[in-house]
Amino acid sequence: LIGFWVAWHQAGGFANLEGGGWHRATIFRKLRKFRARFGVHPDEYRFDWIRLDLKRCWGDELSRRLHPLPDPD
């Protein structure tokens, strides 16, 4: 569930997880398990011992999309 929480925040939520290839049923199942265990939605929960640098994560992804590596042909 911690891995799901990290993936949720790195992806930016439901739509991006689904767009990244996660099946809708899997996302809903993980959300249900997360809420059952931690009592809140992943957007509302924070682990004190995990620091996510989302600006860097999303910035790196944006940079890769704007400046793709050339094809090795």
Side-chain angles (χ1 to χ4, degrees), residues 13-26:
F14 189 98
N16 291 332
L17 283 176
E18 186 178 24
W22 288 49
H23 193 274
R24 291 177 65 86
T26 299

Side-chain angles (χ1 to χ4, degrees), residues 3-64:
F4 171 70
W5 180 85
V6 170
W8 178 271
H9 286 280
Q10 282 188 324
F14 189 98
N16 291 332
L17 283 176
E18 186 178 24
W22 288 49
H23 193 274
R24 291 177 65 86
T26 299
I27 300 169
F28 281 121
R29 189 171 48 254
K30 297 279 187 184
L31 281 169
R32 186 175 60 245
K33 286 181 182 181
F34 192 92
R35 284 184 167 168
R37 172 61 181 92
F38 297 105
V40 294
H41 190 277
D43 284 338
E44 299 170 26
Y45 196 82
R46 295 290 177 260
F47 291 99
D48 294 335
W49 49 275
I50 297 178
R51 302 260 186 260
L52 296 178
D53 189 351
L54 297 178
K55 287 183 182 179
R56 181 176 177 194
C57 174
W58 294 338
D60 289 348
E61 177 64 25
L62 179 60
S63 178
R64 282 193 296 275

